[in-house]
Amino acid sequence: RLAAPPGMPADQWCRWNDAMEPLAGTRFVGRAAPARLLFLWGRQDFFVRPHLAEALWRAAPAASREARWYESGHGLPGAAGDDLQEWLAARIGLAAPPVFRGPVAEYVGTYSGWGGHTDVLDLRIAADSAGRLTMQGPFTGPEDPVGRLSYLGPSADGEAFRLDDKRITFLRTNGRVAAVRIDAPIDDPHVHIVLPRVASGTTTAAR
C-alpha cells in the first residue's frame, strides 16, 4: 500500500511485492520456538503499520513472544535500546543498563524558563505506570512525542538522564531538585539551557 520508490513504475512495484510475498516474515516466525522473541514497535511507524505488526505478532509462537510499543515513528526512541539491553541481560547475561532507584516524586513537576531568544520554555516531567521518568514538552519531537528518560547515572551536578541526543541533569539546591539543565548534543553540547522548577500552583509567564 506504500507508494512506489521514486523512478519505479507502479506495475513494477506491484510485481516486486508479489515476488517478495513467499519470503514474508509471517510465514516463518511461527517456527521460531524455542527461541525467545522481542518485538519493538512504534505506534506511528509509517513503514510497519500497527496492523502489520499485529499480524507478525499473531503469527509468532505465543509462549515465546514479548512486545514493547513506543509512541514513536520508525525510528524508535533511546528508551527502546534500554529495554532491549535489559531483555538481553535477563536471558544471555549482558550487562543491564543502569536503573534509577531514587524517589521519582521529587523530580516530577514543571520546569520553566527562557529557552533562547525570547521564548518561554515549559518542560513537564512526569512518571509512567512503571514509575519511570518521562519528559512531556517541546523538546520531544514527532519521533518521540512522549519521551521516557534513560538513566545515565549520578554526576557531580545531579542525577543525569538521556532523551535521544539530549542530556537532562536534575540540579539540586539545599537538597531539593530545583532545576533541570539540558545539554544537546550529549557529547558536544551546542545547547545549554537551565530551567528552574516551578512551584506547585505557580503560573508561568506567557509566551
Side-chain angles (χ1 to χ4, degrees):
R1 297 179 182 177
L2 296 175
M8 179 182 289
D11 60 338
Q12 182 181 351
W13 177 234
C14 289
R15 290 197 302 273
W16 185 89
N17 279 278
D18 289 342
M20 292 296 291
E21 179 57 30
L23 303 180
T26 50
R27 295 178 179 270
F28 301 98
V29 71
R31 307 177 190 176
R36 305 288 298 181
L37 302 174
L38 175 66
F39 297 96
L40 306 176
W41 287 312
R43 296 189 189 279
Q44 284 82 46
D45 192 334
F46 181 76
F47 298 102
V48 184
R49 306 289 178 91
H51 73 278
L52 297 175
E54 292 289 352
L56 187 62
W57 169 259
R58 289 192 300 270
S64 304
R65 65 191 185 191
E66 295 180 51
R68 305 281 190 276
W69 285 93
Y70 304 92
E71 298 299 329
S72 73
H74 192 65
L76 298 177
D82 294 340
D83 288 342
L84 174 59
Q85 188 177 347
E86 185 178 272
W87 190 85
L88 291 172
R91 286 158 183 81
I92 63 174
L94 290 186
V99 177
F100 178 61
R101 303 191 185 282
V104 173
E106 289 188 15
Y107 299 80
V108 170
T110 300
Y111 300 79
S112 182
W114 297 107
H117 302 294
T118 58
D119 294 330
V120 172
L121 182 62
D122 289 329
L123 210 60
R124 291 171 300 283
I125 300 295
D128 66 12
S129 58
R132 299 167 300 195
L133 293 176
T134 68
M135 179 187 289
Q136 301 174 331
F139 268 93
T140 54
E143 286 294 292
D144 190 17
V146 178
R148 198 179 86 210
L149 302 185
S150 299
Y151 185 49
L152 295 176
S155 70
D157 297 323
E159 299 289 352
F161 295 78
R162 183 187 78 245
L163 179 63
D164 296 332
D165 65 338
K166 304 164 190 66
R167 184 185 185 96
I168 315 296
T169 306
F170 290 86
L171 309 178
R172 287 183 175 272
T173 300
N174 298 325
R176 298 176 61 86
V177 177
V180 295
R181 188 181 71 216
I182 302 167
D183 298 299
I186 290 176
D187 297 326
D188 182 21
H190 302 298
V191 175
H192 177 91
I193 299 173
V194 175
L195 303 176
R197 186 172 188 173
V198 177
S200 178
T202 301
T203 302
T204 57
R207 289 185 182 273

